[in-house]
Amino acid sequence: MTPNPNVVWVPMKLDAYLNYDPRRTVGTDPRSRAYLAPINTPNLDGLQLDSNLLQHDIFEQHRNAPYMGCADPCRQSARRLGIYLHWSLPRMYRVGVTGSSGPDSVTATSDARKYGGYPAAAQVYSGRAIGTPVFRPTPERWIVMRIIRPAVAGPYTGKVMMRVGRTEGQASLNMFNQTTGGDFAIRDFFVVQSDSVRDISTIPATEDVEVTSSPFITDSLSPSQQGQTFLGQASPYTTWTGNDNNPNPNPTTVTVSRAGNPYFPDYQPQNSSVFSFFDDLIITGPTGINAYYTQGDISYTVLGYHTLAKNDPLNVDVNFVKDQTFADRLARCSLSLQNQLDAKKLNSDDTTWLDVQAGGSPMNMRTLNHGSLYGLPWSESPSEGPVVPNFKYPGDDVQQLFAKTHPVAVGTNPIDALFGWLRSTNDIGGLTTDQIRGDLLKVSTLILDVNDDVDSQLMAQDLLSTDNFVPRSSGTVWHFQAQEGLPDDTQPVVPSDAQAKGLRNLNAIQVQLNSILREQDRLKGELFAAWWTYVADKGNPNIDSAQLKQRISFVVSALKIKIRANVDDTNNGVGLIKTLSDRINAKKGSLGLVQAGIEPNFHTQRDPTLFIAGLSSKWPTDWDQDLNIRLNPQNYPMTMPYGIQWPPLDSSYLGGKAPTALSKTMADALSEGLLGGRGIQAFQSTSTYWNNGDQILQKPSNTYSNGWFPLFIEWEVEYYHIPFDNWEFGPQGPEARVGYSLTDNANPADPNIQSDYRILNGRCPILPQTGAILETRLKQVFSKTNPATLALSLDDKVALLSGAKSLDFASTPMSGLTDQLLTRMQGMHVLPLIWTSDGKLAVTADAAPSGAEIGLNSDSNGTDFLLMAGQTSKTPFASLVDIPTDTSKFNPFKPCIHGQFRFTKLNIIDKFGQIVQGIQTYSDLTRSVGPTATPLFPCLGDSYSVDQKSDKTAKIVLPRTDQNCNFVQLPPSINQDARVNAMFLKEDAPPQWRPLDEWENPVRGWLIINQANVSLQVFTPDGRFVREFGVANQNPITRPFTADSTLSNSLDPVLKAFLARFSDNGYLAGIFRSITQTTDAIQANPSSYSESMLSVLGRPLALTVFGVNLELADPAKVNQSTVGSNQVQPAALTDYSFGLKIGDKDNIFDGLFGYFMAAPDVSKGVEINWSQFYTYHEPDPTEVQITGDPSRKMPTDTTISPFYPDPHAADFAQERMQKIRVFAAIVDPFTAVNCYTALLPVRQMKLPQWTIHTGLNEISAFFKMGPFLVPSDVPAFDTTKIVAKDYKLDDPNAPQPNGTLPIPSVGMGDWAWLQPYANRAGGTSYNVMDVASPSSKPQFEDAPYTVIEGFLQQKKPFTAPETLPT
């Protein structure tokens, strides 16, 4: 076997930007091209605790160049011309591991770090660093090989040109590594030390540090000293004096998160000489004279490795891990050999060592990251044109797309925005065909939601809203442990009264603990906000510093008391959280087998999603998959082809500076890159990114493209707040979806509205695989939907998949918009806490004095600053953020969004700093141009569509005279976590309702429509017959048996009160009419009960009671801006009354037939207003009205208001029942009832399946038939076969039939005849008869015939399966 079989080749994607001279701008309107922005380094002064310097985010947005013609020269000075080479780190370096404080999470997180290749110091997770992810160290060393070959086109074909001073000439032959044979090239090596930390004083003044190093924040320096230290250094390999066979034992650990910048690994201007390399193409000759390459064909190969094995994620440290196989380590690092095994590039001998545990093997693994990029056509000449005249700048194409059209859409999620764009634009810019566009719109509803049944497809438009919200876990609840293997319709175990009470108490404590844990996080965040506000405001001359200190000190004191009441860090964690946890554990022990469940999540509206058509993602297409790797055995020694006589690239060539364990493999990888530039496949297998995948040279057209990798978007908007009373809740648009729109009388152009505005901005990433979302949804649609429903041919489907996959678009959330309306900011900012070398949190020296001034004390026993740990990610505005409006009239804090915004800036920025401006404010005094503004007219998703006036112009804050619209409308939404609670209720001890337990039946009674007899049959929840109410009769009927007074007296009080109203025939007739009409409107038949019933009777319906309220996860947020001395009070969130819609007339998947309103408490017993039955099928006013009909039109003014349950209340369970709206409803047992608010996901309530099973299984249909003739008398009454009231015809012990009668019955199903007989007691008794269908031909039986009446009854209950006749 070849040496070093344990070296794993991990591929990387390389990108390069060729920064030519400014000649390309001559004769070009700068507005039609992307430009290189000035290098935007982080403002490290913003880390200082000085109110004049402190910043919410030290990574400032790129400023729009006031004079665009002057923007490019900032990056095109002579010393910044060259090639900027960047390598994309493999995903294993980008994945962090974190956890919570729970014991299970601590164990799982420690194991994930231990077996995942994280440093030994980070493998033990104590739970103190909640929410702080740990990342794998990135390689400390990168070797860059540059190959310059003769130009392949243009006036210098076959030559490498150089310039010395002002003289340009051909490179001399003695510079080439090859003097004979078929390949001439100049080969140079460079080393990038990504762990090199340099002080500004040690960097030569001639070095352009902005392009040769990266700003570095180091823990060893105070905030005031930051900005003097730089990370990364590059130098020629030959002059590098280091040796990685004797590396620094404690190198600077660099991770993707070390700089605190989320774009650090990918944004080249901020990772120079760390994850990128600037090649100025200058060489120094033997005499010390600099020469500059001006023409040539350039290729690069980059190798990256860890100087210390302990930092290598693939190296298994047997001091910590002995029981892990090498294959498992590869899998945990998202690396795969499967493609090589499938292609038979490896055999069993090559991979047997992978299945060996590290503790029992003398071998180990090392990582070699590698990538190559070929054929960069460099041309920098003062006298000649470029090598390739048609050299392309993809960024220019995107800029020109903005000039021609407005390829921007805003939606609630990526799919919503996509279809908003498809609906709104006629010109799709050649991105796809009109047929593809039409087909996408044709299946849009199905793409939005895919389930197996038709009803679910019709639910798509409503349930899509689930994708519009960010969920937040609400915590644990407890259930009695269910027996495994039981069917879904099995009723949960009914506990004893003591057990039931115990579980209720357990859950009451648990939900209180869930709330306390949320409270603790909030209190920590408020403590951090108090400290930040003090630091930000104490130097503000407009704020009284003494009053500020007194106010903040009071807040800090109160917060410290509350936090320590929950968890006292000075007393071994004693506090309410521990007390409640102990009580929970004790209760669990006394109850026995209980299992954990999850409370329904809270949600908050996602920030709007920004969609840009024509902006394709440049991330590798396999980014979300395990990365395909290679092993050394696949790469055999090679023979140089084409007579190349270069010195062999072996370990000796690396000068002994590379690690001995890697040097041979590195030489092989360099050789692969060397030959790859000639298109030669060096080994039997190739890299995942062979020839870079999307190589610079685009054959066969021979057009060349410069680097372009859109990385993030910077946006700015003007948000105008439209008062809530200008909005109305109801059906919107042609599909009548529930939502908010402006009232007819609303005038957004009111001067007061125009004056209440905010400037919001943010930065959002362009994520990998945005286009794959649509393709995946389409495949789901095609696999799960009836072809007849799609109305697409097979060719259409193939074309649609191909077209969808090729759609160029990017989508990203406008993160931070909601937070800024809440006067909070996201960003990289100074923190008062720091991790020490021994893995503990401590207060920084700079923060301690300011903390002491407001009561945040620090001493040898610890610091009060630790009380805010884990909740320091968002900063309050304080006085640092300017508010453009008069705060005495308009408070900057907005507890709810309801308004409109327009874009004032939209910049797309790529990894090399190229900027495409979606909105240009352009001036060029040298060309007498400007300033001219270009408003952006975005396409809008359904939820963000702007209302129109009667003249079809947009109803917007700043009206336009044309029909264009540059505003996005944000309908009302709550700016914090909330949830709609919808629960079945039971009357508890006065004065309260309580939610039903899982084993309690929410059905108060069953109602069966008897269409044959025009009557309503009533049954108890367990299926016992109560009465039949004939609509045409004045009095209720009891069939077939006499009334059971005992049963009637024991009825559920809700059912009993409802039936009492049936004595009014008009009331009963109105209920019957409404139910019948609703049944007719529901088209989809449930499959879970016999279809034969639908042909005879109506649906079985359930009478139930439920409640709805709107709960906040935290108290209503408060204003954190201190701008203005006389701020007007903001609107209170708990004073809002939001619309509530229950059920839906037009959606067949909704199970509501109608409801009655009930009192919110039971202090006077169950109070239900039975006189008003609200339904979507109210009486038609043009028809004859039924006197006494309770049916009423469904109200449109039903509202709910948010509330926050105090977790410290004496009875927290009842505290959560605040502001509840209670309804007694008639519902379809098979279909969910939907609660719509347009604020949160649709909340569904559905009867548990076991309630249907235990109730309807006991019910079978019966109806009166006759009189009609039979050819003979009925059999004599058989007292041994008498039918009891509680009989079951499908019971094996049921009375046997007393003969057979020729009864005309329904053609489907298994029926029996109940024949009445007069008994001696003066009553009626019954025998059951089999039913035989009479002959369809005359039989001429002998007289006499008999006239009979009786009851036809189905033997099987509603839910029994039935085989239909063929």
Side-chain angles (χ1 to χ4, degrees), residues 533-546:
T533 300
Y534 178 70
V535 173
D537 288 356
K538 70 175 184 176
N540 189 325
N542 297 319
I543 297 177
D544 187 305
S545 58

PDB file of all heavy atoms in Angstrom, residues 533-546:
ATOM      1  N   THR A 533     -27.918  50.412  27.921  1.00  0.00           N
ATOM      2  CA  THR A 533     -28.535  51.738  27.882  1.00  0.00           C
ATOM      3  C   THR A 533     -27.739  52.733  28.720  1.00  0.00           C
ATOM      4  O   THR A 533     -27.522  53.886  28.314  1.00  0.00           O
ATOM      5  CB  THR A 533     -29.990  51.653  28.383  1.00  0.00           C
ATOM      6  OG1 THR A 533     -30.726  50.759  27.538  1.00  0.00           O
ATOM      7  CG2 THR A 533     -30.651  53.022  28.359  1.00  0.00           C
ATOM      8  N   TYR A 534     -27.278  52.280  29.870  1.00  0.00           N
ATOM      9  CA  TYR A 534     -26.492  53.173  30.736  1.00  0.00           C
ATOM     10  C   TYR A 534     -25.191  53.585  30.051  1.00  0.00           C
ATOM     11  O   TYR A 534     -24.834  54.778  30.033  1.00  0.00           O
ATOM     12  CB  TYR A 534     -26.202  52.489  32.062  1.00  0.00           C
ATOM     13  CG  TYR A 534     -25.353  53.336  32.985  1.00  0.00           C
ATOM     14  CD1 TYR A 534     -25.890  54.487  33.580  1.00  0.00           C
ATOM     15  CD2 TYR A 534     -24.032  52.992  33.253  1.00  0.00           C
ATOM     16  CE1 TYR A 534     -25.116  55.271  34.422  1.00  0.00           C
ATOM     17  CE2 TYR A 534     -23.255  53.772  34.092  1.00  0.00           C
ATOM     18  CZ  TYR A 534     -23.800  54.911  34.669  1.00  0.00           C
ATOM     19  OH  TYR A 534     -23.027  55.700  35.488  1.00  0.00           O
ATOM     20  N   VAL A 535     -24.496  52.600  29.472  1.00  0.00           N
ATOM     21  CA  VAL A 535     -23.222  52.906  28.806  1.00  0.00           C
ATOM     22  C   VAL A 535     -23.456  53.824  27.607  1.00  0.00           C
ATOM     23  O   VAL A 535     -22.680  54.762  27.353  1.00  0.00           O
ATOM     24  CB  VAL A 535     -22.527  51.609  28.370  1.00  0.00           C
ATOM     25  CG1 VAL A 535     -21.294  51.923  27.518  1.00  0.00           C
ATOM     26  CG2 VAL A 535     -22.108  50.792  29.580  1.00  0.00           C
ATOM     27  N   ALA A 536     -24.525  53.590  26.861  1.00  0.00           N
ATOM     28  CA  ALA A 536     -24.794  54.375  25.656  1.00  0.00           C
ATOM     29  C   ALA A 536     -25.237  55.787  25.972  1.00  0.00           C
ATOM     30  O   ALA A 536     -24.962  56.717  25.202  1.00  0.00           O
ATOM     31  CB  ALA A 536     -25.866  53.669  24.819  1.00  0.00           C
ATOM     32  N   ASP A 537     -25.932  55.969  27.104  1.00  0.00           N
ATOM     33  CA  ASP A 537     -26.562  57.264  27.364  1.00  0.00           C
ATOM     34  C   ASP A 537     -25.810  58.147  28.351  1.00  0.00           C
ATOM     35  O   ASP A 537     -26.075  59.345  28.438  1.00  0.00           O
ATOM     36  CB  ASP A 537     -27.988  57.054  27.907  1.00  0.00           C
ATOM     37  CG  ASP A 537     -28.943  56.562  26.835  1.00  0.00           C
ATOM     38  OD1 ASP A 537     -28.516  56.455  25.676  1.00  0.00           O
ATOM     39  OD2 ASP A 537     -30.105  56.288  27.169  1.00  0.00           O
ATOM     40  N   LYS A 538     -24.882  57.559  29.116  1.00  0.00           N
ATOM     41  CA  LYS A 538     -24.321  58.369  30.201  1.00  0.00           C
ATOM     42  C   LYS A 538     -23.453  59.518  29.693  1.00  0.00           C
ATOM     43  O   LYS A 538     -23.217  60.482  30.430  1.00  0.00           O
ATOM     44  CB  LYS A 538     -23.535  57.483  31.164  1.00  0.00           C
ATOM     45  CG  LYS A 538     -22.233  56.919  30.620  1.00  0.00           C
ATOM     46  CD  LYS A 538     -21.503  56.161  31.725  1.00  0.00           C
ATOM     47  CE  LYS A 538     -20.140  55.656  31.258  1.00  0.00           C
ATOM     48  NZ  LYS A 538     -19.399  55.006  32.358  1.00  0.00           N
ATOM     49  N   GLY A 539     -22.989  59.434  28.475  1.00  0.00           N
ATOM     50  CA  GLY A 539     -22.219  60.543  27.911  1.00  0.00           C
ATOM     51  C   GLY A 539     -23.028  61.440  27.016  1.00  0.00           C
ATOM     52  O   GLY A 539     -22.474  62.351  26.378  1.00  0.00           O
ATOM     53  N   ASN A 540     -24.338  61.217  26.952  1.00  0.00           N
ATOM     54  CA  ASN A 540     -25.202  62.023  26.092  1.00  0.00           C
ATOM     55  C   ASN A 540     -25.522  63.342  26.801  1.00  0.00           C
ATOM     56  O   ASN A 540     -26.113  63.336  27.887  1.00  0.00           O
ATOM     57  CB  ASN A 540     -26.479  61.257  25.785  1.00  0.00           C
ATOM     58  CG  ASN A 540     -27.332  61.929  24.732  1.00  0.00           C
ATOM     59  OD1 ASN A 540     -27.408  63.147  24.654  1.00  0.00           O
ATOM     60  ND2 ASN A 540     -27.991  61.114  23.910  1.00  0.00           N
ATOM     61  N   PRO A 541     -25.162  64.462  26.208  1.00  0.00           N
ATOM     62  CA  PRO A 541     -25.399  65.749  26.886  1.00  0.00           C
ATOM     63  C   PRO A 541     -26.879  66.079  27.044  1.00  0.00           C
ATOM     64  O   PRO A 541     -27.227  66.946  27.861  1.00  0.00           O
ATOM     65  CB  PRO A 541     -24.697  66.758  25.973  1.00  0.00           C
ATOM     66  CG  PRO A 541     -24.638  66.101  24.635  1.00  0.00           C
ATOM     67  CD  PRO A 541     -24.492  64.639  24.910  1.00  0.00           C
ATOM     68  N   ASN A 542     -27.739  65.395  26.287  1.00  0.00           N
ATOM     69  CA  ASN A 542     -29.170  65.679  26.368  1.00  0.00           C
ATOM     70  C   ASN A 542     -29.867  64.862  27.455  1.00  0.00           C
ATOM     71  O   ASN A 542     -31.085  64.965  27.610  1.00  0.00           O
ATOM     72  CB  ASN A 542     -29.836  65.403  25.022  1.00  0.00           C
ATOM     73  CG  ASN A 542     -29.299  66.309  23.930  1.00  0.00           C
ATOM     74  OD1 ASN A 542     -29.081  67.510  24.151  1.00  0.00           O
ATOM     75  ND2 ASN A 542     -29.052  65.738  22.753  1.00  0.00           N
ATOM     76  N   ILE A 543     -29.111  64.027  28.157  1.00  0.00           N
ATOM     77  CA  ILE A 543     -29.693  63.162  29.193  1.00  0.00           C
ATOM     78  C   ILE A 543     -29.029  63.473  30.521  1.00  0.00           C
ATOM     79  O   ILE A 543     -27.794  63.526  30.619  1.00  0.00           O
ATOM     80  CB  ILE A 543     -29.519  61.677  28.820  1.00  0.00           C
ATOM     81  CG1 ILE A 543     -30.295  61.365  27.528  1.00  0.00           C
ATOM     82  CG2 ILE A 543     -29.987  60.764  29.948  1.00  0.00           C
ATOM     83  CD1 ILE A 543     -30.131  59.942  27.038  1.00  0.00           C
ATOM     84  N   ASP A 544     -29.834  63.680  31.541  1.00  0.00           N
ATOM     85  CA  ASP A 544     -29.332  63.947  32.881  1.00  0.00           C
ATOM     86  C   ASP A 544     -28.663  62.681  33.416  1.00  0.00           C
ATOM     87  O   ASP A 544     -29.321  61.680  33.679  1.00  0.00           O
ATOM     88  CB  ASP A 544     -30.489  64.372  33.795  1.00  0.00           C
ATOM     89  CG  ASP A 544     -30.004  64.831  35.163  1.00  0.00           C
ATOM     90  OD1 ASP A 544     -29.289  64.056  35.827  1.00  0.00           O
ATOM     91  OD2 ASP A 544     -30.361  65.952  35.560  1.00  0.00           O
ATOM     92  N   SER A 545     -27.354  62.714  33.580  1.00  0.00           N
ATOM     93  CA  SER A 545     -26.596  61.520  33.953  1.00  0.00           C
ATOM     94  C   SER A 545     -26.954  61.032  35.351  1.00  0.00           C
ATOM     95  O   SER A 545     -26.993  59.817  35.607  1.00  0.00           O
ATOM     96  CB  SER A 545     -25.094  61.797  33.858  1.00  0.00           C
ATOM     97  OG  SER A 545     -24.728  62.886  34.699  1.00  0.00           O
ATOM     98  N   ALA A 546     -27.239  61.957  36.270  1.00  0.00           N
ATOM     99  CA  ALA A 546     -27.586  61.542  37.637  1.00  0.00           C
ATOM    100  C   ALA A 546     -28.926  60.804  37.647  1.00  0.00           C
ATOM    101  O   ALA A 546     -29.074  59.764  38.304  1.00  0.00           O
ATOM    102  CB  ALA A 546     -27.642  62.765  38.556  1.00  0.00           C
TER     103      ALA A 546
END
